Amino acid sequence: MRQGRYLLLDLADLRDKIARRSDPLRPPRRLILDIGGGNFEWIGARTLELLTTVAGLKPYDSVLEVGCGVGQIAIPLARYMDGTGRYEAFDIVEPFVRWCREHITPRFPNFHFQHADLYNTTYNRHGRTLARNYTFPFPASTFDLVYLTSVFTHMLPEDMTHYLHEIARVLKQGGRSLITFFLLNPESTMAVEAGKTSPAFPNAFDQYRTFLKDDPEAAIAYSEVFVRELYGSCGLEIVEPIHYGSWCGRTKCLGEHDFIVATKP
Ligand SMILES: C[S@@+](CC[C@H](N)C(=O)[O-])C[C@H]1O[C@@H](n2cnc3c(N)ncnc32)[C@H](O)[C@@H]1O
C-alpha cells in the first residue's frame, strides 16, 4: 500500500524534474509523506512565524531543533537567520538527516544536522538506543532557543521526561523553548471520550493516551497536569497561557497542536 503510494510520489517528482520545476530546497514527496504529509511550505512558514512572535526568536540566536524531520522548519528558518545565528538539529531517521545535510547545509553552512539512531515504534523500529539514554551532543548552556514540533507527540513518558531535562541543560540562562503537545485537560479529555478528536486517543494509561495500541508512538497525548509538573521539575517556567490547538475541536487557535513556551530562569 505504502510502496504503491511511494511509486506515485516518485513519479510526480520525476515529472517535476523533467519539466525543470524541481526546487532544490523541497524534499522528495515520499520523505514529506514520512514526516506526516501536510502542506510543507505553509507549515514551515507558520511555525517560523510562531517562533518569532511567540517564542522571541531572533536572526542571530543559537537554536536547537530536536526531531527536525526533513527540514520543514529549518528551510524557512535558514532564510530568516543571519550569518551570526547558529542552528543545530538531530533526528532519528537517517534519510531525513541525509537529505537536510545534502541540501540545506551547503547553502546555509551555519545549519548542521546529526543522526541519532534511537528507537521509536513509528519512526525507527530498528533504532539501537532508547531516547531515555541519549545525551544531547552539546554542552550545557549552549542555546537561546530549543524547539520541538510534533516530536513529544511521538514519544513515551520516560523518553520525553529525559529529553525535557536535556533541553533544560542545553538552554542558556534566560533561554526559551517552544514544544508542541496533545494536552489532556478536562476540555480535551471530554472531546477524546466523545470521539471528537483528530487523532483519536482510545487507549488510556496513567498519564497519557495513545492512538494505536501496537504502535504507541504513532500519536500520544499527555495529561496537562503531568506535563506542568515535569516542566517544574526540570526548572523550566511556563510562559502562560499555554496555547491550545484545534486537534480536539477548538476554534480560533494558533495551530493544530497545543504548544508551550517556557523559559530557563
Ligand atoms: C511528525 S514528524 C515532525 C518533524 C518536524 N519536527 C516537523 O515539524 O516537520 C516527527 C519527527 O520526530 C522525530 N523523532 C521521533 N522520536 C525522536 C527522538 N527520540 N529524538 C529526535 N527525533 C525524534 C521523527 O524522526 C520525525 O522526524
Side-chain angles (χ1 to χ4, degrees):
M1 172 83 169
R2 204 158 179 102
Q3 288 310 322
R5 211 154 160 209
Y6 280 152
L7 190 64
L8 290 177
L9 295 175
D10 291 348
L11 281 174
D13 286 340
L14 187 64
R15 241 190 356 250
D16 283 351
K17 199 169 175 185
I18 291 166
R20 296 177 190 274
R21 277 194 312 247
S22 300
D23 174 353
L25 277 179
R26 187 168 217 277
R29 287 175 170 86
R30 63 158 66 204
L31 294 185
I32 294 177
L33 177 68
D34 285 348
I35 60 158
N39 185 333
F40 191 77
E41 282 76 17
W42 187 87
I43 294 171
R46 177 74 184 130
T47 307
L48 174 61
E49 191 183 335
L50 291 178
L51 289 172
T52 55
T53 55
V54 189
L57 170 70
K58 300 283 184 290
Y60 46 80
D61 273 347
S62 175
V63 177
L64 171 65
E65 177 170 12
V66 175
C68 56
V70 72
Q72 182 161 235
I73 299 142
I75 293 165
L77 185 60
R79 294 179 171 130
Y80 168 81
M81 301 286 279
D82 68 23
T84 63
R86 170 185 175 195
Y87 169 97
E88 301 288 340
F90 67 87
D91 199 284
I92 64 173
V93 177
E94 196 276 334
F96 293 171
V97 173
R98 184 163 14 106
W99 188 89
C100 291
R101 277 184 170 162
E102 287 175 359
H103 292 81
I104 302 176
T105 306
R107 291 170 178 83
F108 302 96
N110 52 341
F111 275 58
H112 304 126
F113 300 87
Q114 299 187 44
H115 176 229
D117 189 16
L118 307 177
Y119 177 79
N120 182 284
T121 64
T122 302
Y123 287 96
N124 194 16
R125 278 197 177 255
H126 302 293
R128 285 191 297 192
T129 309
L130 294 176
R132 67 200 66 169
N133 297 323
Y134 181 68
T135 302
F136 291 5
F138 308 102
S141 306
T142 300
F143 296 104
D144 299 299
L145 178 71
V146 178
Y147 71 90
L148 295 81
T149 56
S150 201
V151 178
F152 280 177
T153 49
H154 302 282
M155 288 178 66
L156 287 164
E158 291 87 343
D159 299 320
M160 177 178 82
T161 299
H162 171 69
Y163 265 37
L164 203 63
H165 279 95
E166 280 293 285
I167 290 163
R169 180 181 69 78
V170 300
L171 272 176
K172 294 177 186 171
Q173 199 172 3
R176 293 97 52 210
S177 64
L178 183 151
I179 305 179
T180 70
F181 294 90
F182 295 119
L183 291 172
L184 297 168
N185 53 28
E187 181 192 13
S188 58
T189 301
M190 212 150 75
V192 167
E193 284 170 358
K196 290 186 175 159
T197 64
S198 173
F201 289 106
N203 311 298
F205 302 89
D206 234 12
Q207 306 292 0
Y208 66 103
R209 303 180 75 116
T210 66
F211 171 45
L212 299 176
K213 223 175 202 140
D214 57 354
D215 181 6
E217 288 171 308
I220 305 186
Y222 280 101
S223 144
E224 181 179 322
V225 171
F226 170 71
V227 170
R228 282 181 176 279
E229 283 172 4
L230 183 57
Y231 270 78
S233 72
C234 294
L236 293 172
E237 256 174 31
I238 293 177
V239 179
E240 302 288 353
I242 290 177
H243 302 270
Y244 295 117
S246 60
W247 66 277
C248 58
R250 296 184 188 98
T251 53
K252 296 191 182 143
C253 303
L254 292 180
E256 185 195 337
H257 292 171
D258 307 318
F259 69 91
I260 296 180
V261 175
T263 58
K264 178 174 168 178

